[in-house]
Amino acid sequence: MNLTEHYNQLYKTAAEAISAGKYSIDSELKNESDSRFGITLLIRPNDEIKANIKLFLKELKEAEPEQYFYPDSDIHITVMSIISCSEEFQLNQISPNDYIQLICKSMVDADKIKIHFKGITASPSALMIQGFPTDETLDNLRNKLRENFKNSELQQTIDSRYTISTAHSTVMRFQEPLQNPKKLIEIADKFRDFDFGELDVKNLELVYNDWYQRKSTTRVLGNFGLR
């Protein structure tokens, strides 16, 4: 996949929809009884990247204060959604150690992952930071995880919703009607090619998480260092 073209197409489609008032509101964000949980392998951005994301979010908050903005603690890049969030899944259904061992096996030959965060893209319901892996390392790891999980007896839903191939990070979701869609797109356009920084990934986290990766409900199951 050509990531630049993919992000560009996403942004073009979303910007047109948002400007025309055809955006989507996530009604589950304020649902306190939301019980959708899953298992995710993820990457956390470093402090420099988070500080740059804050500059973007500060302008968005001034224009659209009623929307949902990801706090520093929740910002992440999904390496693999191993069990997609659903109301049916609970942590006591699995043995986390089995998952940790299989991930360790998948990472035996894994090299350092580098991701360049540059520019923003959007969907009709959210704004995201664009991530560009600098080589094939992340793809190779994902493929190894797919192969090993599909050859195992472990419960998993890998690629059941969509096949993950990007390295974006969602930072804002729409939870209320937008006050000024055109202003939102103006801010998005301003940060369209903004350089948020480069990340040398030092470790991955395996977490039990809700749909929005809220820290208050997330449980870290394992940490995996990259050589």
Side-chain angles (χ1 to χ4, degrees), residues 1 24 26 35 37 50 54 58 79 86 88 100 116 133 141 145 159 168-169 181 185 190 207 212 226:
M1 174 189 283
S24 305
D26 188 338
S35 58
F37 279 81
K50 286 191 283 192
K54 270 186 177 167
K58 181 174 182 288
V79 174
S86 77
E88 286 76 47
I100 290 166
H116 188 194
L141 175 58
L145 288 162
D159 297 337
H168 69 272
S169 184
I185 295 303
K190 178 181 168 183
V207 297
Y212 307 103
L226 282 165

Side-chain angles (χ1 to χ4, degrees), residues 167-198:
H168 69 272
S169 184
T170 303
V171 293
M172 173 192 181
R173 290 183 187 269
F174 307 155
Q175 64 179 359
E176 296 287 349
L178 294 172
Q179 294 177 15
N180 191 338
K182 285 191 169 54
K183 178 66 176 172
L184 180 79
I185 295 303
E186 276 177 28
I187 297 165
D189 283 343
K190 178 181 168 183
F191 284 87
R192 188 72 184 90
D193 295 309
F194 185 87
D195 194 337
F196 291 91
E198 192 164 88

Side-chain angles (χ1 to χ4, degrees), residues 1 20 75 109 144 151 198 206 209:
M1 174 189 283
I75 295 173
D109 297 319
K144 185 64 76 174
N151 289 332
E198 192 164 88
L206 179 67
N209 57 278

Side-chain angles (χ1 to χ4, degrees), residues 82-99:
I82 295 168
I83 298 176
S84 297
C85 289
S86 77
E87 293 174 348
E88 286 76 47
F89 178 68
Q90 293 181 325
L91 190 57
N92 61 13
Q93 294 172 9
I94 65 161
S95 166
N97 277 343
D98 293 342
Y99 288 74

Side-chain angles (χ1 to χ4, degrees), residues 105-205:
K105 177 185 169 187
S106 304
M107 290 180 65
V108 166
D109 297 319
D111 293 320
K112 274 274 172 69
I113 296 168
K114 273 191 179 184
I115 302 173
H116 188 194
F117 292 93
K118 189 170 192 294
I120 65 97
T121 188
S123 75
S125 62
L127 296 182
M128 294 93 81
I129 310 298
Q130 298 178 156
F132 297 91
T134 58
D135 57 25
E136 301 299 310
T137 310
L138 180 58
D139 272 347
N140 293 342
L141 175 58
R142 282 171 167 163
N143 288 333
K144 185 64 76 174
L145 288 162
R146 286 184 177 101
E147 180 187 339
N148 287 339
F149 270 103
K150 286 175 181 178
N151 289 332
S152 78
E153 301 288 313
L154 298 180
Q155 181 181 341
Q156 53 88 12
T157 61
I158 290 172
D159 297 337
S160 62
R161 286 177 58 230
Y162 58 89
T163 301
I164 190 164
S165 53
T166 65
H168 69 272
S169 184
T170 303
V171 293
M172 173 192 181
R173 290 183 187 269
F174 307 155
Q175 64 179 359
E176 296 287 349
L178 294 172
Q179 294 177 15
N180 191 338
K182 285 191 169 54
K183 178 66 176 172
L184 180 79
I185 295 303
E186 276 177 28
I187 297 165
D189 283 343
K190 178 181 168 183
F191 284 87
R192 188 72 184 90
D193 295 309
F194 185 87
D195 194 337
F196 291 91
E198 192 164 88
L199 176 65
D200 280 310
V201 180
K202 301 282 196 297
N203 68 299
L204 310 179
E205 278 182 29

